[in-house]
Amino acid sequence: MLTLKELLVLRGLDINHKIKIVRHKDTREDVNVYDLFLKDIKEFELYQSHQERNQFANCEYIVSCIGISNKQALFIGVYEVKSMQIINGFPKDKSVSFRGKAKTNSKYYYDLEKKTGFEDFEGKVVINWNEVGQAWCVGLDTSIKEVVQILPKAFVREFPGYNEVKLFHNELKRMTEDPISNMIWHKLLSSVNAIYLIVDTTDGKQYVGSSYGKEGLLGRWKTYAQNGHGNNIEL
């Protein structure tokens, strides 16, 4: 059995430091931590650095993961805890999609610096999370996390079913450009035509489109992946 700790040590993680491993997963329906990571790593890092409790106390590094299905977690990176300060709520000058939904009662802010050397594993290493209850932040030494999968470099995510398909543009680009790593996506999206919705995440404007042709939905979406507007003048 290969553990996450063993994998990270191979890449230079110094386990002589005090290290915790965390599994971020918000239970609120309108706050998806995985989407925060996929959309903008800086927004995810703001979410991570603000806490209601002193979760990263007596800790020099955190191994950051995001909760996914089947009680598993996806490795995101290793962060050094540079400092901590007491705060009163989430800062008003930060524009984030989770404002008013999460972190509103933040009492602790951590200055976290992402460490280099683990880039090949970020968003690719899947581990089993066997902690019970709300144990989402535990000591790395006392909690064995088995590596169950290492995803291909350009892999986007598991195909969720037609009714649940939602992709950010950076995911769409990776998916269309690497048919081997995303074989299921290519097979299923090319087999149907569909009505689809594009949402501008900066202002909420929406565009409804439809696909047709031998490559189906995949063929239409490839043009959006290439240039962002699919050769649509209005977009």
Side-chain angles (χ1 to χ4, degrees), residues 5 12-20 58-63 78-81 115 139-141:
K5 176 182 175 181
L13 179 65
D14 186 354
I15 56 174
N16 291 317
H17 293 288
K18 296 178 181 179
I19 306 173
K20 289 184 177 180
N58 303 317
C59 175
E60 296 173 271
Y61 290 88
I62 62 170
V63 176
V78 176
Y79 291 81
E80 182 179 358
V81 183
K115 308 305 293 180
L140 183 64
D141 282 335

Side-chain angles (χ1 to χ4, degrees), residues 158-175:
E158 293 182 359
F159 189 81
Y162 289 113
N163 289 336
E164 301 298 328
V165 168
K166 181 176 70 172
L167 294 170
F168 292 105
H169 186 261
N170 61 347
E171 292 181 283
L172 179 65
K173 189 173 178 63
R174 293 205 315 274
M175 183 272 288

Side-chain angles (χ1 to χ4, degrees), residues 216-232:
L217 189 57
L218 177 67
R220 184 70 187 111
W221 281 6
K222 280 182 178 179
T223 62
Y224 292 116
Q226 291 166 0
N227 57 31
H229 51 69
N231 301 320
N232 183 307

Side-chain angles (χ1 to χ4, degrees), residues 40 43 46 90-99 202:
D40 185 351
E43 188 162 325
L46 279 172
F90 192 81
K92 295 180 180 179
D93 62 335
K94 302 295 184 182
S95 178
V96 293
S97 61
F98 58 83
R99 174 171 292 285
T202 63

Side-chain angles (χ1 to χ4, degrees), residues 53-88:
R53 297 181 180 180
N54 195 6
Q55 299 287 358
F56 308 147
N58 303 317
C59 175
E60 296 173 271
Y61 290 88
I62 62 170
V63 176
S64 180
C65 304
I66 291 176
I68 54 177
S69 59
N70 301 319
K71 295 183 179 180
Q72 295 179 336
L74 189 69
F75 170 75
I76 301 304
V78 176
Y79 291 81
E80 182 179 358
V81 183
K82 305 288 287 186
S83 63
M84 182 275 287
Q85 65 183 76
I86 304 297
I87 60 174
N88 183 22

